[in-house]
mmCIF file of all heavy atoms in Angstrom:
data_model
loop_
_atom_site.group_PDB
_atom_site.id
_atom_site.type_symbol
_atom_site.label_atom_id
_atom_site.label_comp_id
_atom_site.label_asym_id
_atom_site.label_seq_id
_atom_site.Cartn_x
_atom_site.Cartn_y
_atom_site.Cartn_z
ATOM 1 N N ILE R 66 -9.949 30.723 -6.677
ATOM 2 C CA ILE R 66 -9.714 30.097 -5.371
ATOM 3 C C ILE R 66 -8.944 28.776 -5.488
ATOM 4 O O ILE R 66 -8.626 28.162 -4.468
ATOM 5 C CB ILE R 66 -11.026 29.858 -4.588
ATOM 6 C CG1 ILE R 66 -11.854 28.723 -5.195
ATOM 7 C CG2 ILE R 66 -11.831 31.140 -4.484
ATOM 8 C CD1 ILE R 66 -12.918 28.185 -4.252
ATOM 9 N N TYR R 69 -6.092 27.550 -3.213
ATOM 10 C CA TYR R 69 -6.383 27.315 -1.794
ATOM 11 C C TYR R 69 -7.141 26.008 -1.555
ATOM 12 O O TYR R 69 -7.359 25.626 -0.410
ATOM 13 C CB TYR R 69 -7.198 28.494 -1.242
ATOM 14 C CG TYR R 69 -6.510 29.820 -1.438
ATOM 15 C CD1 TYR R 69 -6.833 30.643 -2.518
ATOM 16 C CD2 TYR R 69 -5.499 30.237 -0.574
ATOM 17 C CE1 TYR R 69 -6.179 31.852 -2.727
ATOM 18 C CE2 TYR R 69 -4.851 31.445 -0.771
ATOM 19 C CZ TYR R 69 -5.185 32.241 -1.847
ATOM 20 O OH TYR R 69 -4.535 33.432 -2.054
ATOM 21 N N VAL R 70 -7.536 25.350 -2.634
ATOM 22 C CA VAL R 70 -8.277 24.088 -2.520
ATOM 23 C C VAL R 70 -7.298 22.974 -2.171
ATOM 24 O O VAL R 70 -6.195 22.902 -2.727
ATOM 25 C CB VAL R 70 -9.014 23.771 -3.837
ATOM 26 C CG1 VAL R 70 -9.683 22.411 -3.773
ATOM 27 C CG2 VAL R 70 -10.052 24.859 -4.131
ATOM 28 N N CYS R 139 -12.217 19.687 2.165
ATOM 29 C CA CYS R 139 -12.392 21.082 1.752
ATOM 30 C C CYS R 139 -13.884 21.339 1.573
ATOM 31 O O CYS R 139 -14.607 20.506 1.023
ATOM 32 C CB CYS R 139 -11.648 21.327 0.432
ATOM 33 S SG CYS R 139 -11.530 23.066 -0.044
ATOM 34 N N VAL R 140 -14.341 22.467 2.093
ATOM 35 C CA VAL R 140 -15.727 22.892 1.903
ATOM 36 C C VAL R 140 -15.691 24.277 1.265
ATOM 37 O O VAL R 140 -14.982 25.166 1.733
ATOM 38 C CB VAL R 140 -16.507 22.939 3.228
ATOM 39 C CG1 VAL R 140 -17.913 23.475 3.009
ATOM 40 C CG2 VAL R 140 -16.566 21.563 3.881
ATOM 41 N N THR R 141 -16.443 24.435 0.176
ATOM 42 C CA THR R 141 -16.524 25.740 -0.480
ATOM 43 C C THR R 141 -17.944 26.267 -0.374
ATOM 44 O O THR R 141 -18.909 25.508 -0.388
ATOM 45 C CB THR R 141 -16.114 25.654 -1.963
ATOM 46 O OG1 THR R 141 -16.863 24.617 -2.605
ATOM 47 C CG2 THR R 141 -14.627 25.364 -2.103
ATOM 48 N N ALA R 142 -18.050 27.579 -0.265
ATOM 49 C CA ALA R 142 -19.356 28.229 -0.187
ATOM 50 C C ALA R 142 -19.209 29.622 -0.775
ATOM 51 O O ALA R 142 -18.359 30.396 -0.344
ATOM 52 C CB ALA R 142 -19.842 28.296 1.253
ATOM 53 N N ARG R 143 -20.045 29.904 -1.777
ATOM 54 C CA ARG R 143 -19.908 31.155 -2.525
ATOM 55 C C ARG R 143 -20.990 32.142 -2.094
ATOM 56 O O ARG R 143 -22.027 32.264 -2.732
ATOM 57 C CB ARG R 143 -20.012 30.831 -4.025
ATOM 58 C CG ARG R 143 -19.574 31.927 -4.983
ATOM 59 C CD ARG R 143 -19.669 31.386 -6.406
ATOM 60 N NE ARG R 143 -19.140 32.291 -7.403
ATOM 61 C CZ ARG R 143 -19.827 32.713 -8.457
ATOM 62 N NH1 ARG R 143 -21.081 32.348 -8.630
ATOM 63 N NH2 ARG R 143 -19.259 33.501 -9.354
ATOM 64 N N VAL R 164 -10.209 22.511 5.397
ATOM 65 C CA VAL R 164 -10.294 23.967 5.240
ATOM 66 C C VAL R 164 -11.652 24.335 4.669
ATOM 67 O O VAL R 164 -12.200 23.635 3.818
ATOM 68 C CB VAL R 164 -9.180 24.548 4.337
ATOM 69 C CG1 VAL R 164 -7.824 24.353 4.969
ATOM 70 C CG2 VAL R 164 -9.218 23.962 2.944
ATOM 71 N N TRP R 165 -12.198 25.408 5.189
ATOM 72 C CA TRP R 165 -13.462 25.963 4.727
ATOM 73 C C TRP R 165 -13.135 27.234 3.946
ATOM 74 O O TRP R 165 -12.530 28.149 4.483
ATOM 75 C CB TRP R 165 -14.350 26.282 5.928
ATOM 76 C CG TRP R 165 -15.728 26.737 5.578
ATOM 77 C CD1 TRP R 165 -16.072 27.921 4.981
ATOM 78 C CD2 TRP R 165 -16.952 26.027 5.803
ATOM 79 N NE1 TRP R 165 -17.433 27.983 4.820
ATOM 80 C CE2 TRP R 165 -17.995 26.845 5.305
ATOM 81 C CE3 TRP R 165 -17.263 24.793 6.371
ATOM 82 C CZ2 TRP R 165 -19.336 26.453 5.374
ATOM 83 C CZ3 TRP R 165 -18.590 24.407 6.443
ATOM 84 C CH2 TRP R 165 -19.618 25.233 5.950
ATOM 85 N N LEU R 166 -13.532 27.278 2.673
ATOM 86 C CA LEU R 166 -13.245 28.421 1.821
ATOM 87 C C LEU R 166 -14.543 29.184 1.573
ATOM 88 O O LEU R 166 -15.421 28.719 0.853
ATOM 89 C CB LEU R 166 -12.646 27.955 0.488
ATOM 90 C CG LEU R 166 -11.386 27.078 0.585
ATOM 91 C CD1 LEU R 166 -10.917 26.667 -0.799
ATOM 92 C CD2 LEU R 166 -10.267 27.809 1.339
ATOM 93 N N ALA R 167 -14.673 30.334 2.205
ATOM 94 C CA ALA R 167 -15.875 31.162 2.071
ATOM 95 C C ALA R 167 -15.581 32.286 1.085
ATOM 96 O O ALA R 167 -14.747 33.157 1.342
ATOM 97 C CB ALA R 167 -16.283 31.731 3.428
ATOM 98 N N MET R 168 -16.265 32.247 -0.073
ATOM 99 C CA MET R 168 -16.077 33.263 -1.110
ATOM 100 C C MET R 168 -17.036 34.415 -0.841
ATOM 101 O O MET R 168 -18.239 34.227 -0.718
ATOM 102 C CB MET R 168 -16.341 32.648 -2.485
ATOM 103 C CG MET R 168 -15.437 31.455 -2.796
ATOM 104 S SD MET R 168 -15.937 30.537 -4.279
ATOM 105 C CE MET R 168 -15.474 31.712 -5.572
ATOM 106 N N LEU R 203 -11.527 35.935 -0.193
ATOM 107 C CA LEU R 203 -11.666 34.549 0.272
ATOM 108 C C LEU R 203 -11.299 34.515 1.737
ATOM 109 O O LEU R 203 -10.220 34.957 2.146
ATOM 110 C CB LEU R 203 -10.725 33.640 -0.529
ATOM 111 C CG LEU R 203 -10.787 32.152 -0.146
ATOM 112 C CD1 LEU R 203 -12.127 31.560 -0.581
ATOM 113 C CD2 LEU R 203 -9.638 31.381 -0.788
ATOM 114 N N LEU R 204 -12.211 33.986 2.557
ATOM 115 C CA LEU R 204 -11.945 33.759 3.968
ATOM 116 C C LEU R 204 -11.683 32.273 4.159
ATOM 117 O O LEU R 204 -12.496 31.439 3.752
ATOM 118 C CB LEU R 204 -13.121 34.213 4.823
ATOM 119 C CG LEU R 204 -13.517 35.679 4.683
ATOM 120 C CD1 LEU R 204 -14.697 36.009 5.597
ATOM 121 C CD2 LEU R 204 -12.349 36.603 4.973
ATOM 122 N N VAL R 205 -10.543 31.944 4.743
ATOM 123 C CA VAL R 205 -10.153 30.549 4.973
ATOM 124 C C VAL R 205 -10.342 30.242 6.456
ATOM 125 O O VAL R 205 -9.768 30.909 7.315
ATOM 126 C CB VAL R 205 -8.683 30.307 4.564
ATOM 127 C CG1 VAL R 205 -8.313 28.849 4.772
ATOM 128 C CG2 VAL R 205 -8.460 30.716 3.108
ATOM 129 N N LEU R 206 -11.158 29.250 6.750
ATOM 130 C CA LEU R 206 -11.438 28.871 8.134
ATOM 131 C C LEU R 206 -11.089 27.414 8.360
ATOM 132 O O LEU R 206 -10.999 26.626 7.416
ATOM 133 C CB LEU R 206 -12.914 29.102 8.473
ATOM 134 C CG LEU R 206 -13.390 30.547 8.300
ATOM 135 C CD1 LEU R 206 -14.303 30.657 7.081
ATOM 136 C CD2 LEU R 206 -14.094 31.052 9.535
#
Side-chain angles (χ1 to χ4, degrees):
I66 72 163
Y69 304 97
V70 175
C139 190
V140 176
T141 52
R143 194 177 186 235
V164 295
W165 186 291
L166 304 179
M168 302 170 72
L203 181 69
L204 302 180
V205 182
L206 301 108

